[in-house]
Amino acid sequence: MEIGEKIRVLGSAAKYDLCCSSYSKDKAGICHSFLPDGRCVTLFKTLMTNSCRNDCKYCVNRCNRAKTKVEFNAKEIADITLKLHKQNVIEGLFLSSGISGDEEKTMEDMINAVRVLRYEKKFKGYIHLKIIPGASKYLVNEACKIADRVSINVEACSSSYLNEIASQKDFKNDILKRMLWIKENKVRSGHTTQFVVGAGNETDREIVNFLAKLYDKADLRRGYFSAFSPVKQTPLEKTPAVPLKREARLYNVDWLMRIYRFKKEEIVYNDNGNLDLNKDPKTAIAENEREKYPLDVNEADFNELIRVPGIGIQGAQRIITAQKAHEKITKWEQLSRVGVVKKRAMPFLKVNGCVQKTLGCAV
Amino acid sequence: MIVTFKNRIESLLKCALLGYSANYEFVYEKNLNKLMTGTAKKVEGYDIDDLILRHEAMYKKTNFLYNNEKMKKLFGFVSLARFHKDNERFELIIKVIRQALAKNVDFVVSQISKESRKVYEMNRQVMTEIHRLKSFARFTEKDKILFTNLNFEHNTQDIILRYFMEKYPENAVMISERTKTHIGYKGKIKTVNEAITLNDFRQEKNELWNAVYDSSYISARRNYKQAVRFMPKKYWNNEVKKREGHMIQFGIQDTKLTQFIT
């Protein structure tokens, strides 16, 4: 099979793995192109092989699904990555694999491919390596040494939910234990994980609580969410796709917890334990704490400001610097100038003693 | 008295701060003639270190000048604006520095004044150009030489060339623009006053990249709204869109993207 065709087959098999932005400690990744699905292309994302012994119900590579079996060797992966990197169409490599023989052999092949790229071809770009569930501690350590970032997918938020969709994987031993080994290694750009949202019956509350636990105990850099989308010739092919909005809301909450330091207990859910798809989680939290508002924009501190819907980290920083310079914000227009989304922030702020509870109605 | 200074922004800031605290006037040396008109009587040039020593001897250290955090903040705010195409950029930067001295660095950084807002926008425009060129430059390799053709709106040639030299240390990097070609290899930079359009470097049809791009797209997640947020629709490559029915793709050699970047 020609190289181009191999890329098409193995790239298509790897595309559902979304946890691969190329952010490193030193610098943010660069987007070299954009896809019609709104994502950007920063890495050459591929599998070593699409042949897999596992029978995960949601997966495009599951063993019982008819497909052309294709595999790359280490040299092919290194050559393609280097060529694309020199054209400046990618920043690096994202390498994952189906488990063709046993976990050890698969993980070893992947590490070997990265070694060829790093040491023989002297590649200095970014490498994200997937850890195969069940791989030995030695190989996990090796992977952590050689890659910029590693990840192992938890897929679900508990052992029972994982059993529903991927019965061959042991949640605690194959995944969580490996995650703790990764934590010990302190990988350059940290480690990440991914949830398949909606393949099981888990609620958003369960996902968010489990993710918060991973941030706390496993030193996770960030979690990714992939809304379940049915694949033909799988047991879940007739299960309806999960709306992308649910995925987006989970990302909103994840952002609130990681960047804005909201606590998991503060997140507002509906009676079913899911997030409201039609309301921004930050607004829902602010409305839940109505007694704290309106805030005087010239007196509020940074931690209070970032909790206001429509005010981001930068906007809050600018307001604080204006406060330090003894410059009073007296008009709503000034807030727009420092990057505040006026429409969303208005009901929660007091400017010049005035509160605008609804648009066009100053109180 | 006028203090002139070299084109490093750190020197500009130090001179401006020293000049202010010692009641000096200060100008950027390249704009000297323009600024001198009608106001300056005498010009003196100083070595910056010498100036600092003189200042220390006369006025002792000032907190503002030696406050690294504030210097860094101000430096970050104006540093890229000096590469902007606007001829008035240095006058604006100086105005902003004066405001920082008269009021506070925070006053400038929070963009309350018109001038600081303008400098912030200039800074952003340059930053955007740097980001786009880093992202969308497409290189062709031949004999260890990486070649690309770019259009620069601001004066960012040096930054871009150095970035790619660092990224590809084993290769020579050639960036050709309208009338010049910049060449960088092993830390050395040379600019030739002619545009190179070597036939040897003509962009080949890139099957590898097309395969990677096509295989990355998940049709079930199609989200034009977000794609358009990243890149306005008018810059989409119609040819590719037509071919695939739904694909969009960008490259610096695309006519439409060239318009976008310039």
Side-chain angles (χ1 to χ4, degrees):
Chain A
M1 189 182 273
E2 277 184 18
I3 287 289
E5 197 49 39
K6 277 189 178 183
I7 293 175
R8 277 177 210 277
V9 175
L10 293 172
S12 298
K15 67 187 176 186
Y16 294 97
D17 222 319
L18 304 177
C19 62
C20 57
S21 58
S22 67
Y23 180 81
S24 72
K25 244 182 188 175
D26 315 322
K27 53 187 178 182
I30 292 177
C31 301
H32 291 280
S33 195
F34 298 99
L35 295 163
D37 56 22
R39 293 178 304 138
C40 67
V41 185
T42 54
L43 303 174
F44 167 45
K45 195 156 56 162
T46 188
L47 300 183
M48 282 289 285
T49 172
N50 63 351
S51 154
C52 189
R53 63 162 202 210
N54 281 353
D55 194 19
C56 307
K57 288 180 185 168
Y58 57 89
C59 185
V60 69
N61 300 313
R62 68 193 296 267
C63 59
N64 292 331
R65 192 166 175 265
K67 61 184 178 250
T68 322
K69 289 184 182 172
V70 182
E71 64 178 13
F72 272 135
N73 62 40
K75 192 176 172 298
E76 282 171 335
I77 286 184
D79 285 343
I80 296 166
T81 308
L82 215 60
K83 198 163 183 187
L84 292 170
H85 188 253
K86 282 193 176 169
Q87 287 169 3
N88 197 36
V89 289
I90 56 161
E91 283 296 291
L93 169 72
F94 171 89
L95 187 60
S96 182
S97 183
I99 307 170
S100 55
D102 63 294
E103 303 92 348
E104 287 294 280
K105 172 79 173 55
T106 309
M107 193 74 238
E108 218 171 294
D109 287 347
M110 288 165 71
I111 292 172
N112 189 35
V114 176
R115 274 197 191 120
V116 170
L117 185 60
R118 272 271 194 256
Y119 302 133
E120 278 183 33
K121 307 279 179 184
K122 294 179 180 165
F123 177 72
K124 290 191 172 69
Y126 181 90
I127 297 176
H128 182 148
L129 195 54
K130 208 88 205 164
I131 300 291
I132 301 295
S136 70
K137 189 169 186 178
Y138 170 74
L139 290 177
V140 172
N141 292 348
E142 285 299 298
C144 292
K145 272 184 214 161
I146 207 166
D148 291 282
R149 175 173 277 183
V150 296
S151 60
I152 182 163
N153 288 357
V154 288
E155 316 291 13
C157 57
S158 75
S159 185
S160 55
Y161 286 126
L162 186 69
N163 264 337
E164 278 178 32
I165 54 174
S167 55
Q168 280 152 316
K169 287 179 188 167
D170 181 338
F171 189 67
K172 280 187 183 160
N173 194 37
D174 288 349
I175 297 170
L176 296 187
K177 198 171 176 184
R178 267 74 194 163
M179 226 174 221
L180 295 174
W181 290 347
I182 295 170
K183 181 192 168 187
E184 288 169 14
N185 277 285
K186 299 200 185 308
V187 191
R188 271 192 290 279
S189 301
H191 69 112
T192 60
T193 192
Q194 179 173 302
F195 293 85
V196 182
V197 178
N201 293 318
E202 70 276 16
T203 62
D204 291 344
R205 187 198 299 271
E206 286 169 316
I207 293 174
V208 170
N209 287 350
F210 182 65
L211 183 63
K213 209 170 168 184
L214 289 181
Y215 283 137
D216 188 31
K217 308 269 184 207
D219 216 2
L220 191 74
R221 181 62 60 86
R222 68 172 290 193
Y224 287 82
F225 308 99
S226 172
F228 167 75
S229 148
V231 177
K232 281 180 187 169
Q233 297 173 35
T234 60
L236 300 178
E237 70 177 324
K238 285 184 181 148
T239 309
V242 170
L244 290 174
K245 197 130 194 197
R246 184 175 172 196
E247 183 187 296
R249 288 293 174 230
L250 282 165
Y251 277 118
N252 291 152
V253 169
D254 174 49
W255 200 258
L256 289 181
M257 291 199 302
R258 280 190 302 121
I259 313 291
Y260 291 76
R261 302 286 168 204
F262 278 78
K263 288 179 184 142
K264 65 176 194 280
E265 295 79 16
E266 295 175 290
I267 310 296
V268 179
Y269 302 94
N270 61 20
D271 295 342
N272 303 325
N274 288 325
L275 295 160
D276 188 342
L277 296 188
N278 299 316
K279 190 176 274 179
D280 164 51
K282 200 176 176 187
T283 309
I285 295 170
E287 284 177 355
N288 211 29
E289 301 171 335
R290 199 72 224 197
E291 68 285 353
K292 289 185 183 171
Y293 302 103
L295 282 179
D296 189 326
V297 76
N298 291 314
E299 285 172 12
D301 65 27
F302 179 77
N303 291 329
E304 287 172 329
L305 285 170
I306 57 168
R307 295 179 70 89
V308 176
I311 301 185
I313 300 286
Q314 278 199 347
Q317 277 166 349
R318 287 181 192 144
I319 293 171
I320 294 296
T321 48
Q323 284 178 4
K324 282 184 187 166
H326 305 294
E327 289 295 323
K328 293 246 176 205
I329 291 173
T330 52
K331 292 176 186 167
W332 291 105
E333 287 67 34
Q334 283 175 304
L335 280 178
S336 299
R337 276 193 6 217
V338 296
V340 172
V341 185
K342 206 170 70 176
K343 194 176 161 188
R344 290 171 58 199
M346 268 173 150
F348 303 96
L349 289 179
K350 207 192 304 178
V351 174
N352 217 10
C354 292
V355 187
Q356 193 151 347
K357 284 189 175 169
T358 53
L359 284 176
C361 169
V363 180
Chain B
M1 186 182 288
I2 292 177
V3 179
T4 63
F5 43 83
K6 300 290 177 194
N7 60 355
R8 286 177 62 231
I9 201 80
E10 294 90 335
S11 305
L12 187 154
L13 282 175
K14 279 184 182 171
C15 282
L17 298 168
L18 281 168
Y20 179 83
S21 57
N23 272 335
Y24 293 166
E25 282 296 320
F26 56 95
V27 294
Y28 177 64
E29 61 180 2
K30 282 186 183 168
N31 293 8
L32 192 61
N33 292 336
K34 202 173 170 187
L35 283 187
M36 271 173 66
T37 335
T39 53
K41 299 266 167 62
K42 191 180 168 191
V43 180
E44 284 185 33
Y46 286 101
D47 171 49
I48 184 67
D49 295 326
D50 176 47
L51 197 64
I52 289 174
L53 285 176
R54 283 180 185 217
H55 183 268
E56 278 178 4
M58 285 169 70
Y59 301 98
K60 309 293 175 201
K61 285 185 178 181
T62 63
N63 284 338
F64 193 96
L65 180 59
Y66 292 94
N67 186 330
N68 249 345
E69 201 186 309
K70 285 194 175 180
M71 283 285 278
K72 269 186 197 167
K73 221 174 186 180
L74 196 55
F75 173 68
F77 191 75
V78 300
S79 60
L80 289 179
R82 74 189 143 138
F83 298 111
H84 199 271
K85 62 178 177 180
D86 191 343
N87 290 331
E88 307 288 311
R89 62 191 184 278
F90 284 106
E91 285 83 333
L92 266 171
I93 291 174
I94 286 169
K95 268 185 193 169
V96 165
I97 293 171
R98 282 201 170 116
Q99 285 173 359
L101 291 160
K103 298 212 172 189
N104 196 323
V105 175
D106 290 334
F107 174 82
V108 167
V109 175
S110 55
Q111 304 158 37
I112 291 166
S113 72
K114 273 183 191 168
E115 290 80 11
S116 59
R117 182 76 191 166
K118 176 82 181 152
V119 168
Y120 169 76
E121 276 165 11
M122 285 161 72
N123 218 35
R124 252 190 104 95
Q125 282 165 10
V126 174
M127 202 190 293
T128 308
E129 174 170 295
I130 292 171
H131 190 72
R132 280 182 195 152
L133 292 174
K134 280 179 183 178
S135 311
F136 300 124
R138 297 288 185 257
F139 286 94
T140 309
E141 187 184 15
K142 198 187 178 203
D143 302 331
K144 286 217 159 191
I145 300 172
L146 294 172
F147 175 80
T148 189
N149 208 330
L150 302 176
N151 289 328
F152 294 91
E153 191 182 355
H154 305 292
N155 308 309
T156 54
Q157 293 86 341
D158 193 54
I159 297 175
I160 297 299
L161 186 64
R162 283 180 195 281
Y163 169 78
F164 285 116
M165 280 165 68
E166 199 184 319
K167 188 169 179 181
Y168 308 116
E170 306 292 319
N171 297 75
V173 179
M174 273 174 84
I175 298 177
S176 184
E177 55 171 322
R178 287 186 196 95
T179 55
K180 287 178 186 170
T181 301
H182 311 275
I183 305 155
Y185 184 56
K186 303 256 181 207
K188 287 181 184 166
I189 289 177
K190 197 179 175 186
T191 300
V192 185
N193 279 331
E194 60 177 301
I196 294 179
T197 47
L198 295 178
N199 289 337
D200 292 346
F201 287 115
R202 199 171 288 153
Q203 184 82 355
E204 295 159 19
K205 204 176 174 191
N206 195 339
E207 292 299 333
L208 270 189
W209 166 238
N210 283 345
V212 171
Y213 184 87
D214 292 352
S215 65
S216 304
Y217 170 52
I218 306 174
S219 56
R221 300 175 70 91
R222 191 169 71 180
N223 188 347
Y224 277 167
K225 204 176 157 188
Q226 201 176 340
V228 172
R229 261 183 65 205
F230 288 128
M231 188 71 89
K233 208 170 183 175
K234 62 180 173 177
Y235 302 113
W236 291 11
N237 185 332
N238 288 332
E239 204 178 301
V240 180
K241 204 168 76 174
K242 213 172 176 181
R243 179 169 63 86
E244 296 293 335
H246 53 251
M247 301 302 285
I248 52 170
Q249 193 177 6
F250 312 102
I252 197 128
Q253 266 77 9
D254 299 343
T255 329
K256 293 211 163 195
L257 190 73
T258 312
Q259 286 169 15
F260 178 56
I261 283 177
T262 51

